[in-house]
Amino acid sequence: MSTIFSQIVEGEIPARIVYEDETTVAFLDANPLAPGHTLVIPKDEYERLNDVPGDVADDLYATIHRLVPVVEEAVDADATTVAFNNGEEAGQEVPHVHCHIVPRFEGDGGGPIHAIAGDRPDLDDDELDEIAGEIESNA
């Protein structure tokens, strides 16, 4: 079954599309966190970032890179938070990769990306070295 985002790509569900090319589409979030909150998706359905082929990931980032300043200017934002929720446990509600471009304004009450986590882990140097080594050896 296709996701709501695939249905938007197919024109089955209306959306305020702000950009489209061969592999990506961007539209205003129907439940925005701020004026101008924009979602950028690959047209093809991939559940997680890990599933997106490299060439599509390049196109996706290029679209994000193009739109961030355009969105900021459109709503006179001071900055933006640009983020992916990658997996259900991370808050991904639609199983179709999507990037949030959320305009930010002075005094908007939002916090930095570090505010999304609850209690932070207390990791010692050995644990950090082990994690870094595991990531490095598999990158």
Side-chain angles (χ1 to χ4, degrees):
M1 183 171 149
S2 65
T3 68
I4 189 171
F5 294 162
S6 291
Q7 293 171 339
I8 288 171
V9 169
E10 295 300 321
E12 297 168 7
I13 295 176
R16 289 180 174 86
I17 294 177
V18 299
Y19 178 83
E20 184 172 5
D21 61 27
E22 288 185 23
T23 57
T24 66
V25 65
F27 48 92
L28 294 184
D29 192 305
N31 298 296
L33 298 175
H37 181 171
T38 301
L39 300 178
V40 181
I41 67 168
K43 286 183 173 179
D44 291 335
E45 206 170 282
Y46 304 100
E47 185 172 343
R48 296 184 59 161
L49 283 169
N50 329 24
D51 304 325
V52 179
D55 59 332
V56 176
D58 291 344
D59 293 345
L60 185 62
Y61 184 78
T63 299
I64 295 163
H65 184 262
R66 175 185 188 137
L67 289 181
V68 165
V70 174
V71 170
E72 287 179 356
E73 186 173 324
V75 296
D76 198 27
D78 300 315
T80 47
T81 294
V82 180
F84 291 88
N85 294 319
N86 193 39
E88 188 176 346
E89 292 77 8
Q92 183 179 1
E93 295 176 343
V94 178
H96 187 139
V97 167
H98 55 288
C99 174
H100 295 263
I101 301 174
V102 182
R104 300 295 305 273
F105 305 90
E106 184 176 343
D108 66 10
I113 196 78
H114 288 89
I116 64 169
D119 295 330
R120 294 185 186 192
D122 183 20
L123 302 170
D124 63 31
D125 286 341
D126 290 340
E127 291 168 309
L128 291 170
D129 290 342
E130 182 180 336
I131 294 167
E134 186 67 25
I135 294 169
E136 180 183 16
S137 68
N138 290 298

